Amino acid sequence: MSTIGTGDRIPHCPVSETITTNTAEGEQMTSPTGGFEFDHLSPGWNDTTLWDAYERLLSAGAATYSPLHGGYWIISRYSEVKKALRDHETFSSASGHRIPMVDGMSSIPIDYDPPVHTHYRSLLTRALTPDSIRDLQPWLTSMISEVVAAFYQSGGGDAVAEVALSIPLRVLTKIVGFSPATVARFRELTEDIWKDGTAESQLRGRAALVDALDRDIDEHRARRPDDYLTWLLDAEVDGRPIDIGEIHSVLLTLAVAGHETTLNSVSTLLYLLASDLPLQERLRADPSVAPRYVEEMLRLRTPAQMFARRTNRAVDVGDTTIPAGSWVLLLNAAANRDPHQFEHPTAFDIDRSARGHLAFGWGIHQCVGSALARSELRILLETLCQYPPITLAADPAFTAIEAGTHFGLRKLPLAFIDAAPRS
């Protein structure tokens, strides 16, 4: 019998059938009739089992129930996921975007509904206005060129650590005003939050991140540099001054989401290129197609895989009624592989139209940094065209679904195929 996850969870359990299997620890576990025991927090997901699980979920029905983590419904089909993302009145974010949600781990503006969400979101859009993203383009080009040049001069290496992480950390220093010493700790501190999955570790890890941010906050209060962080200290929300807890939450959203999604996007894009030399050569022959590579990567291997909601009222999803007060997991990554929406969905095809993919979400919670992320990825591809092709130097290593949301690479050993960069 095949499994979903680590070998200790059940795959498709047909209606009117109950299946019993052994867990990794030797204990028996029985799946409920008609359900999947899909565990998004399993540490054993890999680059094969995850996508296979999504295929089975897509074929199982519009809504599927998992009894794990207190019980939650899973929606994976494109039309239903998109509909739910648009319907924030039914599918509320106010209880949190993770299953299970730990008290004290809410994020601004992700874990709020209107009108509070509207006020909070404006705090983040200040850092990422269309004008600011446009003005940032020359700096992004210079910075990414510097990162790629250093990677080339060193003969390649682990592209996750040396390229994919370096780019978003430098961007956070530039657009927010974090110090280099603070951003250098973001990855380690973020990983500490999700290390063992317990509420205690999450709260302890959050406290450590807040402590690091407080040093930058104190420095900004003393020196008042002209940047976003200084602006945030004086910001108002709904006509009142923002408090320190809200400042922490906004900065944590920028620090964690701002580096983790880009880290996974960059490393995944590099992995796809390094795994397919003809794909690289087509890009190198015409760098203007770079945006197509970006959108197709986001569709095929969505970095932020899923988000939770809670129903404010009973809602029909296909022929299933999800009761009011239910937790729901919206699988954006599976929706982006729905064959009813995208023909041959498991193929990387830059000639398809990937428009409408849900990699950045949809509706009021659509990613505020999507334009910036697209710019970073496009510029990276254009820059790589000036250098020899890249290839895998050793087997890559993939993450599990970190924090029940993020999927990407932990290590990506790359090498350049020949010696001299192009002019």
Side-chain angles (χ1 to χ4, degrees), residues 3-4 45 47-57 337:
T3 58
I4 291 184
W45 291 113
D47 197 45
T48 300
T49 59
L50 182 61
W51 311 118
D52 288 347
Y54 290 162
E55 285 192 31
R56 281 175 282 177
L57 285 166
R337 288 172 167 241

Side-chain angles (χ1 to χ4, degrees), residues 163-180:
V163 179
L165 182 58
S166 180
I167 289 172
L169 294 187
R170 294 190 189 201
V171 168
L172 285 170
T173 300
K174 180 71 173 179
I175 67 171
V176 179
F178 293 129
S179 68

Side-chain angles (χ1 to χ4, degrees), residues 10 42 62 103 187 195 197 213 242 271 284 362 376 398 400:
I10 309 294
S42 168
D103 288 342
R187 188 64 197 149
K195 185 174 292 182
L213 295 176
I242 187 173
Y271 168 71
R284 292 157 65 80
W362 204 264
E376 292 171 288
F398 290 84

Side-chain angles (χ1 to χ4, degrees), residues 172-180 182 212-234 247 251:
L172 285 170
T173 300
K174 180 71 173 179
I175 67 171
V176 179
F178 293 129
S179 68
T182 297
L213 295 176
D214 276 339
R215 297 172 193 176
D216 278 1
I217 290 172
D218 290 344
E219 180 70 13
H220 276 70
R221 281 180 170 151
R223 294 195 306 106
R224 308 293 298 181
D226 183 15
D227 60 22
Y228 170 78
L229 205 162
T230 296
W231 173 86
L232 184 65
L233 297 178
D234 300 326
I247 291 171
L251 293 178

Side-chain angles (χ1 to χ4, degrees), residues 188-251:
E188 171 195 355
L189 293 173
T190 299
E191 288 178 332
D192 285 346
I193 294 177
W194 318 117
K195 185 174 292 182
D196 61 21
T198 65
E200 292 77 10
S201 74
Q202 291 184 44
L203 293 170
R204 185 170 57 249
R206 186 186 190 279
L209 261 171
V210 166
D211 182 63
L213 295 176
D214 276 339
R215 297 172 193 176
D216 278 1
I217 290 172
D218 290 344
E219 180 70 13
H220 276 70
R221 281 180 170 151
R223 294 195 306 106
R224 308 293 298 181
D226 183 15
D227 60 22
Y228 170 78
L229 205 162
T230 296
W231 173 86
L232 184 65
L233 297 178
D234 300 326
E236 293 188 351
V237 58
D238 196 20
R240 61 166 177 80
I242 187 173
D243 65 37
I244 187 61
E246 292 166 322
I247 291 171
H248 285 153
S249 188
V250 170
L251 293 178

Side-chain angles (χ1 to χ4, degrees), residues 225-286:
D226 183 15
D227 60 22
Y228 170 78
L229 205 162
T230 296
W231 173 86
L232 184 65
L233 297 178
D234 300 326
E236 293 188 351
V237 58
D238 196 20
R240 61 166 177 80
I242 187 173
D243 65 37
I244 187 61
E246 292 166 322
I247 291 171
H248 285 153
S249 188
V250 170
L251 293 178
L252 285 169
T253 297
L254 290 167
V256 176
H259 91 265
E260 196 150 27
T261 53
T262 305
L263 163 69
N264 289 331
S265 296
V266 170
S267 58
T268 298
L269 195 53
L270 292 173
Y271 168 71
L272 289 171
L273 289 176
S275 303
D276 190 334
L277 187 57
L279 196 66
Q280 283 189 71
E281 290 304 327
R282 182 171 177 184
L283 173 67
R284 292 157 65 80
D286 182 10

